[in-house]
Amino acid sequence: MLANELGFDAAYLDRIPFLKAPGVRFADQAKFHPLKFLTALAEGFHGRDSPIFEKSAVTKFDAKKKRARANGYWINYDRVVLATNNPLLGESSLIAGVFFQTKLALYSSYVVGGTVPRGSIPIASFWDTNDPYQYLRVDRHGDSDYAIFGGEDHKTGQGKSTESRFRKIAAAFRKLAPSAKIDHRWSGQIINSNDGLPYIGPNEEDQFIATGYCGNGFTLGTVAAIMARDWVTGTKNPWCDLFAPDRKKILGGTWDYLRENKDYPYYLLQSRLRAPEGASVRAVKRGEGKIVRLGRKKLAVYRDKSGKVKKMSGVCTHMGCIVRWNEAEATWDCPCHGSRFGPTGQVLAGPAETALRSA
Ligand code: FES
């Protein structure tokens, strides 16, 4: 098997434990606690010349003047590492930046979690190869175990009701683990690249970007950190060409680029022609958002729990598609490149960098 030739300890099994289906076992996988991992990193990093600032999101980025704005202050830099999930575009390199962002495809994935009897699921990470795929992970928690089950991935802002996806995931989890007591659910965003490899490396002379981890953020985020360190210290890194943000020669990349981006013109038009979700502002219930037509404009209208209404332009501030209401998570999601906005329009996830405009 190719995995063995590449040095992995992998074995084909006719029946894998628990799922009782054929599969491949990769032995000796590592598992670690994300917050403990981050805490140890932060403790190792924080020092006299390397402060860490929390609650300091960069809201503007000016590549020409080499400065970034956070909490109302401009911060000058010699070099910058953009590890912002979807790289910030800032105030320059507009064409290159927009083109780069269209090489990324944002997917939403849905997860439920619950306690299961101790030992009822082997400690392992299970996933299948369907599209969309499903995954199951389990962890020891005192007297019981805790399992998470996820899937139903789709391009952000596209497809069916988000509530129905959670229902499907919960039903599939209960089928596998009938005694599971589900107590949490959430969704996350995965950034895919057009050839399945991340983009990690210098984008401009003094800028380094790291994105497109395709759901393997722990591993590839760590790879990116090593590469960023080598970039800063001037050390040659063997993975530079493979992950180069401007690489062109990866097999299959061109086709996938077109496939992922045929969405943009389609959803740009479709979102503008689509019937509004609500007949009038009055039809929007408390805690709900709807796209409502007002004259020639499509407004994103949100009514909060107290009944207060916020009217915004429904036009995504990235490249002009009309956003949609995500009822399961109370967000506005863009079907074109996956930007997400809070109910009152603030940016939750790029590529958009500015809030929905008030109307
Ligand atoms: S994310 Fe690109 S147009 Fe909305």
PDB file of all heavy atoms in Angstrom, residues 299-313:
ATOM      1  N   LEU A 299     -32.583  43.872   1.639  1.00  0.00           N
ATOM      2  CA  LEU A 299     -32.046  44.191   2.961  1.00  0.00           C
ATOM      3  C   LEU A 299     -31.929  42.935   3.812  1.00  0.00           C
ATOM      4  O   LEU A 299     -32.762  42.033   3.730  1.00  0.00           O
ATOM      5  CB  LEU A 299     -32.961  45.182   3.687  1.00  0.00           C
ATOM      6  CG  LEU A 299     -33.196  46.525   3.017  1.00  0.00           C
ATOM      7  CD1 LEU A 299     -34.010  47.424   3.943  1.00  0.00           C
ATOM      8  CD2 LEU A 299     -31.876  47.203   2.666  1.00  0.00           C
ATOM      9  N   ALA A 300     -30.884  42.907   4.622  1.00  0.00           N
ATOM     10  CA  ALA A 300     -30.750  41.854   5.630  1.00  0.00           C
ATOM     11  C   ALA A 300     -31.363  42.434   6.904  1.00  0.00           C
ATOM     12  O   ALA A 300     -30.849  43.405   7.459  1.00  0.00           O
ATOM     13  CB  ALA A 300     -29.276  41.517   5.839  1.00  0.00           C
ATOM     14  N   VAL A 301     -32.480  41.862   7.324  1.00  0.00           N
ATOM     15  CA  VAL A 301     -33.203  42.422   8.474  1.00  0.00           C
ATOM     16  C   VAL A 301     -33.135  41.449   9.641  1.00  0.00           C
ATOM     17  O   VAL A 301     -33.461  40.265   9.495  1.00  0.00           O
ATOM     18  CB  VAL A 301     -34.681  42.683   8.109  1.00  0.00           C
ATOM     19  CG1 VAL A 301     -35.442  43.251   9.304  1.00  0.00           C
ATOM     20  CG2 VAL A 301     -34.765  43.628   6.919  1.00  0.00           C
ATOM     21  N   TYR A 302     -32.711  41.945  10.782  1.00  0.00           N
ATOM     22  CA  TYR A 302     -32.614  41.098  11.977  1.00  0.00           C
ATOM     23  C   TYR A 302     -33.443  41.724  13.092  1.00  0.00           C
ATOM     24  O   TYR A 302     -33.388  42.927  13.322  1.00  0.00           O
ATOM     25  CB  TYR A 302     -31.145  40.988  12.415  1.00  0.00           C
ATOM     26  CG  TYR A 302     -30.989  40.295  13.747  1.00  0.00           C
ATOM     27  CD1 TYR A 302     -31.278  38.936  13.888  1.00  0.00           C
ATOM     28  CD2 TYR A 302     -30.565  40.995  14.873  1.00  0.00           C
ATOM     29  CE1 TYR A 302     -31.151  38.292  15.109  1.00  0.00           C
ATOM     30  CE2 TYR A 302     -30.432  40.360  16.108  1.00  0.00           C
ATOM     31  CZ  TYR A 302     -30.732  39.003  16.211  1.00  0.00           C
ATOM     32  OH  TYR A 302     -30.610  38.368  17.418  1.00  0.00           O
ATOM     33  N   ARG A 303     -34.245  40.866  13.764  1.00  0.00           N
ATOM     34  CA  ARG A 303     -35.002  41.355  14.918  1.00  0.00           C
ATOM     35  C   ARG A 303     -34.460  40.632  16.148  1.00  0.00           C
ATOM     36  O   ARG A 303     -34.486  39.395  16.211  1.00  0.00           O
ATOM     37  CB  ARG A 303     -36.497  41.043  14.739  1.00  0.00           C
ATOM     38  CG  ARG A 303     -37.374  41.685  15.817  1.00  0.00           C
ATOM     39  CD  ARG A 303     -38.829  41.250  15.650  1.00  0.00           C
ATOM     40  NE  ARG A 303     -39.437  41.691  14.409  1.00  0.00           N
ATOM     41  CZ  ARG A 303     -39.975  42.891  14.209  1.00  0.00           C
ATOM     42  NH1 ARG A 303     -39.985  43.784  15.177  1.00  0.00           N
ATOM     43  NH2 ARG A 303     -40.506  43.210  13.045  1.00  0.00           N
ATOM     44  N   ASP A 304     -33.935  41.375  17.113  1.00  0.00           N
ATOM     45  CA  ASP A 304     -33.336  40.703  18.275  1.00  0.00           C
ATOM     46  C   ASP A 304     -34.424  40.218  19.239  1.00  0.00           C
ATOM     47  O   ASP A 304     -35.620  40.434  19.015  1.00  0.00           O
ATOM     48  CB  ASP A 304     -32.267  41.582  18.951  1.00  0.00           C
ATOM     49  CG  ASP A 304     -32.856  42.773  19.688  1.00  0.00           C
ATOM     50  OD1 ASP A 304     -34.077  42.799  19.926  1.00  0.00           O
ATOM     51  OD2 ASP A 304     -32.079  43.688  20.030  1.00  0.00           O
ATOM     52  N   LYS A 305     -33.984  39.563  20.311  1.00  0.00           N
ATOM     53  CA  LYS A 305     -34.948  38.913  21.226  1.00  0.00           C
ATOM     54  C   LYS A 305     -35.892  39.937  21.871  1.00  0.00           C
ATOM     55  O   LYS A 305     -37.013  39.624  22.236  1.00  0.00           O
ATOM     56  CB  LYS A 305     -34.183  38.146  22.317  1.00  0.00           C
ATOM     57  CG  LYS A 305     -33.389  36.971  21.747  1.00  0.00           C
ATOM     58  CD  LYS A 305     -34.070  35.652  22.014  1.00  0.00           C
ATOM     59  CE  LYS A 305     -33.599  34.524  21.124  1.00  0.00           C
ATOM     60  NZ  LYS A 305     -32.251  34.054  21.228  1.00  0.00           N
ATOM     61  N   SER A 306     -35.407  41.191  22.010  1.00  0.00           N
ATOM     62  CA  SER A 306     -36.274  42.200  22.642  1.00  0.00           C
ATOM     63  C   SER A 306     -37.197  42.866  21.624  1.00  0.00           C
ATOM     64  O   SER A 306     -38.020  43.699  21.982  1.00  0.00           O
ATOM     65  CB  SER A 306     -35.405  43.263  23.324  1.00  0.00           C
ATOM     66  OG  SER A 306     -34.750  44.025  22.334  1.00  0.00           O
ATOM     67  N   GLY A 307     -37.042  42.521  20.351  1.00  0.00           N
ATOM     68  CA  GLY A 307     -37.936  43.067  19.328  1.00  0.00           C
ATOM     69  C   GLY A 307     -37.304  44.195  18.523  1.00  0.00           C
ATOM     70  O   GLY A 307     -37.890  44.677  17.558  1.00  0.00           O
ATOM     71  N   LYS A 308     -36.093  44.615  18.895  1.00  0.00           N
ATOM     72  CA  LYS A 308     -35.430  45.710  18.173  1.00  0.00           C
ATOM     73  C   LYS A 308     -34.961  45.223  16.789  1.00  0.00           C
ATOM     74  O   LYS A 308     -34.394  44.139  16.676  1.00  0.00           O
ATOM     75  CB  LYS A 308     -34.226  46.174  18.998  1.00  0.00           C
ATOM     76  CG  LYS A 308     -33.821  47.581  18.719  1.00  0.00           C
ATOM     77  CD  LYS A 308     -32.815  48.040  19.736  1.00  0.00           C
ATOM     78  CE  LYS A 308     -31.758  48.812  18.993  1.00  0.00           C
ATOM     79  NZ  LYS A 308     -30.466  48.781  19.579  1.00  0.00           N
ATOM     80  N   VAL A 309     -35.231  46.077  15.788  1.00  0.00           N
ATOM     81  CA  VAL A 309     -34.921  45.665  14.415  1.00  0.00           C
ATOM     82  C   VAL A 309     -33.658  46.354  13.912  1.00  0.00           C
ATOM     83  O   VAL A 309     -33.461  47.543  14.140  1.00  0.00           O
ATOM     84  CB  VAL A 309     -36.109  46.014  13.482  1.00  0.00           C
ATOM     85  CG1 VAL A 309     -35.729  45.839  12.024  1.00  0.00           C
ATOM     86  CG2 VAL A 309     -37.304  45.148  13.820  1.00  0.00           C
ATOM     87  N   LYS A 310     -32.804  45.589  13.240  1.00  0.00           N
ATOM     88  CA  LYS A 310     -31.621  46.173  12.599  1.00  0.00           C
ATOM     89  C   LYS A 310     -31.725  45.880  11.103  1.00  0.00           C
ATOM     90  O   LYS A 310     -31.882  44.724  10.703  1.00  0.00           O
ATOM     91  CB  LYS A 310     -30.359  45.524  13.200  1.00  0.00           C
ATOM     92  CG  LYS A 310     -29.101  45.816  12.454  1.00  0.00           C
ATOM     93  CD  LYS A 310     -28.287  46.901  13.082  1.00  0.00           C
ATOM     94  CE  LYS A 310     -26.993  47.112  12.306  1.00  0.00           C
ATOM     95  NZ  LYS A 310     -26.253  48.273  12.630  1.00  0.00           N
ATOM     96  N   LYS A 311     -31.676  46.953  10.293  1.00  0.00           N
ATOM     97  CA  LYS A 311     -31.749  46.768   8.844  1.00  0.00           C
ATOM     98  C   LYS A 311     -30.391  47.048   8.233  1.00  0.00           C
ATOM     99  O   LYS A 311     -29.782  48.100   8.503  1.00  0.00           O
ATOM    100  CB  LYS A 311     -32.756  47.750   8.233  1.00  0.00           C
ATOM    101  CG  LYS A 311     -34.182  47.444   8.618  1.00  0.00           C
ATOM    102  CD  LYS A 311     -35.099  48.395   7.864  1.00  0.00           C
ATOM    103  CE  LYS A 311     -36.279  48.766   8.738  1.00  0.00           C
ATOM    104  NZ  LYS A 311     -36.972  49.953   8.321  1.00  0.00           N
ATOM    105  N   MET A 312     -29.925  46.112   7.430  1.00  0.00           N
ATOM    106  CA  MET A 312     -28.616  46.285   6.786  1.00  0.00           C
ATOM    107  C   MET A 312     -28.740  45.971   5.303  1.00  0.00           C
ATOM    108  O   MET A 312     -29.681  45.276   4.890  1.00  0.00           O
ATOM    109  CB  MET A 312     -27.602  45.297   7.385  1.00  0.00           C
ATOM    110  CG  MET A 312     -27.346  45.501   8.849  1.00  0.00           C
ATOM    111  SD  MET A 312     -26.861  43.958   9.660  1.00  0.00           S
ATOM    112  CE  MET A 312     -28.407  43.127   9.814  1.00  0.00           C
ATOM    113  N   SER A 313     -27.761  46.409   4.541  1.00  0.00           N
ATOM    114  CA  SER A 313     -27.719  45.989   3.145  1.00  0.00           C
ATOM    115  C   SER A 313     -27.423  44.492   3.144  1.00  0.00           C
ATOM    116  O   SER A 313     -26.575  44.010   3.896  1.00  0.00           O
ATOM    117  CB  SER A 313     -26.608  46.744   2.420  1.00  0.00           C
ATOM    118  OG  SER A 313     -26.305  46.059   1.232  1.00  0.00           O
TER     119      SER A 313
END
